Amino acid sequence: MSGWSLVYDTFDPKAEGLREALCTLGNGYFAVRGAADETEAGGPHYPGTYLAGGYNRLVSDVSGRPVENEDLVNFPNWLPVAFRHLTGEGATGEGAAPWFDLQALELLEYRQELDMAGGLLHRRLRVKDSAGRISRIESSRLVSMDQPNLAAQAWSLTPENWSSPIELRAALDGRVVNGGVPRYRSLRSQHLVPGASGLEPDGVLHLEVETSQSRLRMVQAARLRLSSGGAPLNVSPEPDLTEGYAGARFRLMAQEGEAVELEKIVALFTSRDRAVSEPRLAALDLARRADDFARLAQRHALVWSQLWRRFDMRISNNTETETEEMNRILRLHVFHLLQVCSPHICDLDVGVPARGLHGEAYRGHIFWDELYIFPLLNQRLPEITRELLLYRYRRLGSARRLAQEAGHAGAMYPWQSGSDGREETQQVHLNPKSGRWLPDNSQRQRHVNAAIAYNVWQYVQATDDLEFLSAYGAEMLLEIARFWASISERAGSQPDGTGERWMIDGVMGPDEYHDGYPGQEEGGLRNNAYTNVMVSWLLRRAREVLERLPFHDRDELCERLRLGDDELARWEEIADGLTLCFHEDEDGQPVISQFEGYGDLLEFDWVGYAAKYGDIQRLDRILEAEGDTPNRYKLSKQADVLMLFYLFSARELRALIEGMGYTWDDRLIERTIAYYSARTSHGSTLSRVVESWVMARIDRRRSWQLFCEALRSDVFDIQGGTTAEGIHLGAMAGTVDLVQRGYTGLELADDVLWFNPRLPDELSHLEMELRYRGHFLQISVGRDRLRVVASNHVAQPIRIGFDGRIHDISHGEELEFALSPSNHEPAPDAAAEVAKGGGSKRAMG
Ligand code: BGC
């Protein structure tokens, strides 16, 4: 890594899959893995092109049983460019040498660089063949952030010590299948039906494909230009067309020391695009009139520089070099986030695939991971969050149907979502360790519904976008609340004397190691603490949401939803009565139980299993292969109860738990964190983000260690091979958000932007720019002071909270606060106390 780039200066076949994922280029509309130009799928390589929302369904046979899956389709590979020597001038090709293959040659020099500032992938290499011929190959590519339907490659070959006739080919290859994830390889993978292809007289190649079930047509067109030293070469291409493949071949004499350059400008359109007549027409047209590579790269870099202005943040300590690498990794995370969630997703009706557009793991499905992603977008480009929430809104009908089919009211969003919002969670999954196909119960993670509602509320807090709340957000939130109320059951009076109780049964929490009680796996779990507290929070919000709406909108919405006071009162009763279970820790002190009965499970032999297996991140697979199940043990794949301390401040949590009728004790958080932290394998990359966050004010050293590990998740592929199948977007965004909100103590509550900074000991300074309700805020946090500068002359004043006090701030004003190690939570009654000092305010310039 250097500067703003990710650099590899050796070729390592074993690491190629990982590098392809990390060097993916995309623009929100589509993305391509960072595979080398000349490669096809196989061996260490897996070129993949993915379209946002580009899904297709296939039915496979698994042990005689039909299993249907919806996949994010691998679309035609538009990268291919390669050359070969011809034995003599005019040779037909039969006697030609094999096509360029890095692995068959002696590698003299190699450098691959992902330039995050300019959004480019460069590759430069020198090779020697068995005849002693040394060739230099350089290539650069981009997927335009300026024009989402465009991508471009600039490729060149320089013969260093030879002159010979060569053949050069460039292609669009639609003979690809979804083969990127070994676990899925026994399932059907042929999603594309080939259509027309051709090479136009002006040298424009084109290829059309259609997905077999969703009938999504894609046309790619490539304009090819040959030159040498910038001067056009007048060589006509020969067509090389077969089913699903459009290629062009150029034969020419390569001269020692003279570069042969090929520019390939690719336009890509689909039958879903707006403002086009027909994709083939649009693709050919754009390929013909697009600028050359250099100009496209300039415009592309300009848009990237604007995005970076909004997203870049800088952490530092006294020895800058220590944080340099961290800043780079944080940028890498932002870079990939923006390549999936860019402004170009507007109008595309897409959600955030958990593994980006970077590979085929989880089939491009959308889970709850946006809970980790939206806070970053909310504070920088909230219009993207809005779009992504609209993806959910458009599937409200499906969610209502899912609820109804399961015997509930309201809307129940699926655990995994794809094109139309039906439940896409696979019915069976393969344990690669045992080779067995097993029932997949993870769809019981109804908590995704709490996350969606929470995300709506957070977005509104960040933006005050009441128009969104009126038109879409409130309806989603209320229908989800209605679902939760209907899945809640009366549980009778409790022996603990906390009165009449409610329970939620048959669900799973975020910890995927527990999908049911031992021996009764089909039934799910009862009273998952995370779920119940989130539901209690949501059911309490309902009235507040309605109060925010203009009377007119509110009345109409209630009329449409047939929502009356009785139902709202029932929701409040459930919110107050949901059950929370506790059990004792090693010292006999109460901790929150992950679910009812958790305390009765067996302790797990962490030391023994670590000694036996080394990597024990995926204990579910290990235990199943041994004929055992994680359901029997006190162990978690990922943060579950701890999610509560991640999403709510201590002040909010206390109010929630007391509201549910339980006694709060100040040490409960600390004990509960310590308890689960000792029992988590971090089998999900999301987990370290949460634990680092919740530890930040309790065990600072451990928190920092987890932050550093979370930063390494993808760059160093710490799960041992998963990143090659797609990056972990939630963890990527989550680490950046740890800096953004975790270290600044940023909290959106009561229409106030609260700060409560506490930098880790390893950092001395943090700087970034945030957006809040139309304002651009320059934030600077040091060891002893927090500075906030507001700008945007057309935005209304906003309220900044610090140390229990609230300060109004407008365009051009600056607030400065002295920090002490004991910065505490905002006081519960803080909203009443406006700007009584505690900070100094002055007008800027
Ligand atoms: C995690 C889930 C997550 C999913 C997609 C799983 O391994 O357990 O919490 O939503 O990956 O990232």
Side-chain angles (χ1 to χ4, degrees):
M1 290 259 229
S2 78
W4 277 68
S5 42
L6 181 64
V7 176
Y8 299 108
D9 52 18
T10 55
F11 174 73
D12 176 1
K14 286 194 298 306
E16 192 57 14
L18 168 66
R19 293 177 185 182
E20 286 178 353
L22 293 175
C23 291
T24 295
L25 294 182
N27 59 17
Y29 172 73
F30 80 109
V32 68
R33 285 166 62 86
D37 308 303
E38 71 279 0
T39 59
E40 290 181 359
H45 310 290
Y46 192 74
T49 293
Y50 307 100
L51 176 81
Y55 295 105
N56 191 57
R57 315 183 75 79
L58 288 176
V59 180
S60 306
D61 180 275
V62 177
S63 318
R65 178 177 157 196
V67 168
E68 182 172 320
N69 283 304
E70 182 170 74
D71 280 84
L72 187 72
V73 173
N74 179 20
F75 279 96
N77 178 18
W78 50 273
L79 298 174
V81 175
F83 89 99
R84 63 177 171 179
H85 291 276
L86 298 173
T87 43
E89 209 160 353
T92 56
E94 269 94 71
W99 290 101
F100 175 83
D101 173 8
L102 184 62
Q103 285 178 279
L105 300 164
E106 187 187 340
L107 191 57
L108 304 177
E109 260 179 63
Y110 184 88
R111 185 181 159 89
Q112 180 172 325
E113 177 183 359
L114 176 73
D115 164 8
M116 297 184 276
L120 297 167
L121 180 64
H122 304 288
R123 186 169 172 247
R124 179 195 151 96
L125 49 98
R126 286 176 67 239
V127 285
K128 185 153 115 188
D129 67 13
S130 53
R133 290 176 293 206
I134 299 178
S135 312
R136 190 167 75 235
I137 294 187
E138 288 164 288
S139 73
S140 297
R141 80 171 68 135
L142 63 86
V143 172
S144 176
M145 214 25 128
D146 178 46
Q147 282 176 275
N149 300 87
L150 269 184
Q153 284 163 283
W155 181 97
S156 76
L157 159 73
T158 311
E160 290 199 1
N161 61 352
W162 55 271
S163 298
S164 124
I166 59 160
E167 188 170 38
L168 223 161
R169 74 172 174 199
L172 303 168
D173 188 355
R175 303 166 306 180
V176 297
V177 297
N178 273 51
V181 178
R183 291 183 302 292
Y184 306 161
R185 280 190 194 147
S186 59
L187 304 171
R188 283 180 62 207
S189 57
Q190 176 79 52
H191 292 280
L192 298 180
V193 179
S197 60
L199 174 63
E200 298 294 306
D202 59 354
V204 175
L205 266 181
H206 53 94
L207 173 73
E208 177 171 333
V209 291
E210 188 174 44
T211 53
S212 61
Q213 169 272 334
S214 56
R215 299 278 168 218
L216 201 157
R217 267 171 73 218
M218 177 186 280
V219 178
Q220 298 180 354
R223 184 185 78 205
L224 306 172
R225 275 190 192 151
L226 266 191
S227 60
S228 181
L233 282 180
N234 198 9
V235 184
S236 304
E238 289 290 317
D240 174 9
L241 308 170
T242 53
E243 198 178 62
Y245 179 91
R249 295 187 181 203
F250 299 87
R251 290 184 171 194
L252 63 149
M253 187 67 195
Q255 300 289 356
E256 181 173 337
E258 289 178 18
V260 177
E261 295 134 4
L262 176 71
E263 185 187 79
K264 189 174 173 190
I265 307 293
V266 178
L268 185 157
F269 282 85
T270 79
S271 45
R272 298 218 180 120
D273 285 335
R274 313 260 175 135
V276 296
S277 153
E278 187 275 332
R280 183 168 179 274
L281 188 64
L284 283 167
D285 188 39
L286 183 58
R288 285 189 172 118
R289 67 185 164 73
D291 271 335
D292 62 11
F293 185 91
R295 272 187 224 129
L296 290 178
Q298 250 173 31
R299 300 274 319 162
H300 170 68
L302 173 69
V303 180
W304 265 113
S305 70
Q306 293 174 345
L307 289 171
W308 281 119
R309 244 178 260 155
R310 292 199 181 211
F311 279 85
D312 197 28
M313 54 175 76
R314 289 152 306 281
I315 53 175
S316 51
N317 62 14
N318 299 328
T319 55
E320 285 285 322
T321 46
E322 282 174 28
T323 45
E324 201 179 297
E325 192 184 352
M326 292 188 160
N327 279 319
R328 273 178 227 126
I329 300 179
L330 288 169
R331 280 184 197 126
L332 183 74
H333 291 182
V334 169
F335 183 72
H336 285 302
L337 175 71
L338 287 171
Q339 294 198 110
V340 180
C341 305
S342 88
H344 296 302
I345 64 155
C346 294
D347 284 344
L348 291 185
D349 183 31
V350 294
V352 197
R355 307 297 284 274
L357 297 171
H358 294 58
E360 291 159 19
Y362 290 133
R363 305 192 158 82
H365 293 170
I366 295 141
F367 298 63
W368 71 320
D369 303 46
E370 57 206 33
L371 182 63
Y372 300 78
I373 292 169
F374 288 172
L376 192 58
L377 297 172
N378 282 343
Q379 254 36 90
R380 285 144 204 279
L381 269 176
E383 45 277 46
I384 297 184
T385 313
R386 187 181 206 270
E387 276 296 315
L388 294 166
L389 288 171
L390 286 177
Y391 164 85
R392 296 294 192 178
Y393 181 77
R394 294 190 199 97
R395 284 149 189 82
L396 185 56
S398 296
R400 284 189 174 118
R401 203 161 47 242
L402 276 179
Q404 201 184 17
E405 282 164 11
H408 306 304
M412 179 178 91
Y413 281 89
W415 170 237
Q416 293 186 28
S417 184
S419 61
D420 62 6
R422 77 180 74 177
E423 178 60 80
E424 299 292 359
T425 305
Q426 54 194 350
Q427 299 141 36
V428 285
H429 66 242
L430 179 69
N431 179 1
K433 262 203 143 50
S434 66
R436 277 190 284 269
W437 286 94
L438 306 159
D440 192 321
N441 295 321
S442 57
Q443 58 178 280
R444 289 189 190 129
Q445 292 186 69
R446 303 292 173 226
H447 65 83
V448 62
N449 287 280
I452 294 170
Y454 181 88
N455 291 337
V456 167
W457 188 247
Q458 288 290 108
Y459 166 77
V460 173
Q461 278 294 323
T463 56
D464 203 27
D465 184 352
L466 298 181
E467 187 261 339
F468 172 84
L469 189 67
S470 277
Y472 315 105
E475 188 177 350
M476 275 195 278
L477 220 135
L478 295 169
E479 281 289 81
I480 292 174
R482 181 174 262 167
F483 154 70
W484 283 118
S486 104
I487 199 178
S488 305
E489 302 167 53
R490 282 190 191 278
S493 291
Q494 291 305 292
D496 60 8
T498 56
E500 182 79 7
R501 286 268 150 220
W502 289 80
M503 68 169 180
I504 297 179
D505 200 358
V507 297
M508 268 172 80
D511 166 23
E512 296 193 327
Y513 283 176
H514 290 99
D515 62 352
Y517 291 99
Q520 307 161 39
E521 269 78 10
E522 49 312 312
L525 298 165
R526 215 164 24 257
N527 290 322
N528 169 254
Y530 168 67
T531 306
N532 285 13
V533 174
M534 288 295 278
V535 171
S536 178
W537 168 86
L538 172 61
L539 294 178
R540 255 168 241 277
R541 278 277 97 75
R543 252 186 232 277
E544 201 177 331
V545 168
L546 287 171
E547 276 160 19
R548 285 205 165 218
L549 303 184
F551 291 152
H552 191 79
D553 290 357
R554 184 190 64 195
D555 294 348
E556 282 185 358
L557 182 61
C558 289
E559 205 172 75
R560 275 205 315 278
L561 298 180
R562 299 205 194 134
L563 180 64
D565 248 352
D566 290 358
E567 196 172 347
L568 288 170
R570 184 159 168 273
W571 292 1
E572 278 154 3
E573 185 195 332
I574 299 172
D576 292 346
L578 274 167
T579 306
L580 208 52
C581 301
F582 297 86
H583 65 276
E584 289 180 0
D585 67 6
E586 297 80 349
D587 303 325
Q589 296 298 313
V591 291
I592 301 176
S593 303
Q594 188 171 307
F595 49 82
E596 191 174 320
Y598 183 94
D600 302 332
L601 302 181
L602 300 172
E603 285 293 0
F604 182 68
D605 177 12
W606 292 93
V607 176
Y609 271 77
K612 186 165 170 198
Y613 290 97
D615 181 353
I616 53 166
Q617 290 177 104
R618 291 304 301 264
L619 281 168
D620 52 338
R621 292 179 178 165
I622 292 176
L623 287 169
E624 193 279 330
E626 287 184 346
D628 202 346
T629 161
N631 279 328
R632 300 201 315 133
Y633 303 99
K634 289 175 175 150
L635 86 183
S636 306
K637 175 181 176 187
Q638 65 201 95
D640 192 305
V641 178
L642 301 196
M643 287 300 299
L644 294 173
F645 314 122
Y646 174 63
L647 296 180
F648 299 110
S649 67
R651 172 180 65 97
E652 284 175 303
L653 203 57
R654 177 180 185 157
L656 279 167
I657 290 182
E658 286 183 344
M660 290 165 82
Y662 297 96
T663 320
W664 178 260
D665 109 46
D666 282 336
R667 306 296 306 266
L668 181 67
I669 296 187
E670 222 166 298
R671 276 198 310 272
T672 305
I673 292 175
Y675 186 86
Y676 289 99
S677 158
R679 290 168 176 80
T680 304
S681 79
H682 298 303
S684 159
T685 53
L686 300 171
S687 188
R688 288 186 185 82
V689 172
V690 177
E691 204 173 309
S692 172
W693 182 293
V694 304
M695 287 265 179
R697 285 166 206 248
I698 296 174
D699 181 345
R700 295 162 61 71
R701 183 174 269 218
R702 175 86 186 120
S703 167
W704 181 253
Q705 186 193 338
L706 285 160
F707 171 65
C708 296
E709 282 173 23
L711 275 184
R712 294 167 58 88
S713 298
D714 276 325
V715 197
F716 295 99
D717 193 15
I718 64 173
Q719 285 194 333
T722 61
T723 304
E725 301 170 353
I727 53 160
H728 299 84
L729 214 46
M732 281 197 165
T735 47
V736 185
D737 186 44
L738 241 166
V739 176
Q740 170 185 271
R741 288 191 306 149
Y743 296 163
T744 58
L746 192 150
E747 193 191 331
L748 304 169
D750 315 320
D751 299 308
V752 178
L753 182 67
W754 290 96
F755 287 96
N756 181 17
R758 186 85 194 263
L759 291 180
D761 295 337
E762 290 77 5
L763 298 182
S764 59
H765 202 79
L766 158 61
E767 261 182 70
M768 60 186 171
E769 188 176 293
L770 295 180
R771 262 175 84 179
Y772 177 68
R773 301 195 167 188
H775 277 272
F776 293 82
L777 301 175
Q778 292 290 340
I779 312 291
S780 153
V781 183
R783 292 226 151 275
D784 50 13
R785 122 204 128 102
L786 159 70
R787 196 166 158 252
V788 182
V789 182
S791 68
N792 184 358
H793 65 286
V794 291
Q796 295 297 315
I798 48 170
R799 306 204 299 161
I800 303 286
F802 178 81
D803 203 10
R805 296 202 169 87
I806 296 172
H807 308 259
D808 286 342
I809 179 169
S810 309
H811 169 69
E813 288 180 339
E814 173 189 333
L815 284 169
E816 199 168 290
F817 304 101
L819 302 179
S820 69
S822 62
N823 287 320
H824 49 79
E825 292 284 331
D829 58 346
E833 234 184 302
V834 180
K836 287 187 192 153
S840 65
K841 174 161 140 182
R842 62 172 178 264
M844 299 296 289

